[in-house]
């Protein structure tokens, strides 16, 4: 059995994944998982490159619900969504098994354009110029404000809270040790801990070769641990081969930080799981 037999954040061909929901479920079963959460990118009009087409939302739900019943004797399947912050309210009361709430964009108050913060450096720079008014701190702090606001919407899981660091290799855009940056994350991690919402430790950036550590960073994990924030481990897998990618390394990091237990999905809710 896998050392952590679950991931509540995996993607499929309904969005930007490479495999069908059934292929992802079967891969999870092969790994000895006890639960798996299909959490496809929910439709959002500014996110068309990766999200489920609006016309396919119900087909997605129908298929995953069918598979949930088909494999119920082998694994607990949760029919969920990964919803982007700006469109999340549309899905919170729509009857999904679980919601992963994530921030992928910064919305410009100047032009009304949405800028992805984890796609490529060119769009990141455009976002700094427009939404940030040419100031990278302003741009990053707008992202942080959205993560902070996310805690008030109460998703089941807060997704990859510092994915904005994905393109900041070798501190290309900003210094994560800057006082303003640390102060921003102190505020956010305090709000997360006070909310009681489970934050994912996300290995997706590792499996796709962008970074060598999970989200959140070790520094943020230390903040979350000090504040008593609950965590779960998710692969954010976009292919069946990566459903447990980086789990061993991430669990070792969590133990080093001080975590002795994290949360696992059982019976439609989170329970403690010793690590």
């Amino acid at each position: 059995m896998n050392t952590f037999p679950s991931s509540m954040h995996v993607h499929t061909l309904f969005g930007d994944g490479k495999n069908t929901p059934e292929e992802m479920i079967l891969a999870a079963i092969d790994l000895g998982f006890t639960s798996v959460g299909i959490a496809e990118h929910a439709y959002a009009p500014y996110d068309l490159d990766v999200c489920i087409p609006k016309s396919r939302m119900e087909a997605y739900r129908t298929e995953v619900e069918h598979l949930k019943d088909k494999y119920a004797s082998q694994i607990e399947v949760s029919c969920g969504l990964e919803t982007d912050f700006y469109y999340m309210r549309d899905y919170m009361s729509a009857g999904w098994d679980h919601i992963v709430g994530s921030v992928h964009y910064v919305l410009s108050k100047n032009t009304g354009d949405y800028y992805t913060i984890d796609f490529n450096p060119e769009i990141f720079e455009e976002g700094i110029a427009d939404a940030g008014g040419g100031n990278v701190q302003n741009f990053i702090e707008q992202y942080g404000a959205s993560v902070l606001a996310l805690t008030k919407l109460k998703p089941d899981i807060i997704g990859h809270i510092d994915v904005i660091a994905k393109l900041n290799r070798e501190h290309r855009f900003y210094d994560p040790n800057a006082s303003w940056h640390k102060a921003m994350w102190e505020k956010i991690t305090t709000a997360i801990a006070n909310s009681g919402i489970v934050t994912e430790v996300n290995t997706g950036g590792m499996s796709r070769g962008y970074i060598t550590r999970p989200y959140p960073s070790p520094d943020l994990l230390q903040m979350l641990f000090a504040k008593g924030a609950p965590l779960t481990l998710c692969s954010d897998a976009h292919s069946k081969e990566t459903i447990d990618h980086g789990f061993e390394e991430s669990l070792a990091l969590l133990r080093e930080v001080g975590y002795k237990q994290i949360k696992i999905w059982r019976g439609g809710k989170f329970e403690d799981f010793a690590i």
Side-chain angles (χ1 to χ4, degrees):
M1 179 177 287
N2 198 283
T3 51
F4 185 75
S6 180
S7 174
M8 295 304 293
H9 185 174
V10 305
H11 293 279
T12 75
L13 281 171
F14 275 94
D16 62 341
K18 296 180 180 178
N19 294 100
T20 66
E22 185 162 26
E23 288 170 335
M24 298 299 280
I25 291 166
L26 288 172
I29 291 171
D30 286 345
L31 289 169
F33 274 27
T34 57
S35 60
V36 65
I38 310 297
E40 197 51 80
H41 294 283
Y43 170 78
Y46 51 82
D47 197 33
L48 300 180
D49 288 341
V50 302
C51 73
I52 308 173
K54 191 172 186 178
S55 62
R56 296 276 286 158
M57 285 289 293
E58 282 310 309
Y60 164 72
R61 190 200 293 259
T62 298
E63 181 166 337
V64 177
E65 289 289 349
H66 165 69
L67 295 169
K68 181 164 64 172
D69 292 337
K70 180 177 179 179
Y71 293 103
S73 65
Q74 297 172 264
I75 192 170
E76 180 179 352
V77 176
S78 184
C79 181
L81 291 173
E82 182 181 15
T83 62
D84 187 68
F85 168 70
Y86 292 105
Y87 235 58
M88 190 176 305
R89 290 174 182 84
D90 288 11
Y91 301 106
M92 289 303 297
S93 60
W96 298 90
D97 291 340
H98 77 290
I99 297 289
V100 180
S102 301
V103 181
H104 301 97
Y105 290 83
V106 172
L107 172 61
S108 172
K109 297 177 182 178
N110 302 318
T111 61
D113 291 332
Y114 292 85
Y115 291 94
T116 56
I117 49 79
D118 63 339
F119 185 65
N120 64 41
E122 292 73 27
I123 293 177
F124 199 94
E125 290 173 345
E126 290 171 10
I128 295 170
D130 179 3
N135 185 303
V136 66
Q137 178 179 339
N138 186 20
F139 185 67
I140 302 298
E141 288 180 339
Q142 287 181 60
Y143 171 83
S146 293
V147 178
L148 188 65
L150 190 66
T151 63
K152 298 179 181 179
L153 297 178
K154 299 290 184 180
D156 299 285
I157 302 168
I158 296 180
H160 47 55
I161 61 171
D162 63 335
V163 71
I164 197 164
K166 174 179 171 181
L167 300 177
N168 196 45
R169 282 171 290 187
E170 298 179 354
H171 302 179
R172 174 173 180 172
F173 294 105
Y174 62 93
D175 180 3
N177 296 310
S179 58
W180 64 266
H181 189 262
K182 290 185 176 182
M184 180 187 84
W185 284 112
E186 280 288 351
K187 185 175 181 180
I188 292 169
T189 54
T190 297
I192 288 173
N194 290 341
S195 75
I197 302 169
V198 173
T199 296
E200 70 169 6
V201 178
N202 182 307
T203 65
M206 298 168 70
S207 65
R208 292 186 285 281
Y210 290 105
I211 54 176
T212 57
R213 53 85 174 170
Y215 310 110
S217 69
D219 286 348
L220 296 191
L221 289 174
Q222 289 281 2
M223 291 182 191
L224 290 164
F225 175 72
K227 297 170 174 63
L231 306 179
T232 192
L233 181 56
C234 297
S235 59
D236 195 356
H238 286 63
S239 69
K240 64 182 182 179
E241 294 82 11
T242 60
I243 289 181
D244 66 343
H245 185 94
F247 274 23
E248 289 291 343
E249 301 97 307
S250 298
L251 289 170
L253 173 59
L254 289 171
R255 294 185 195 106
E256 184 179 335
V257 167
Y259 277 94
K260 291 182 170 54
Q261 59 187 23
I262 57 176
K263 298 293 183 179
I264 193 167
W265 191 262
R266 286 197 185 110
K269 59 185 176 63
F270 279 114
E271 296 181 353
D272 290 335
F273 182 90
I275 61 169

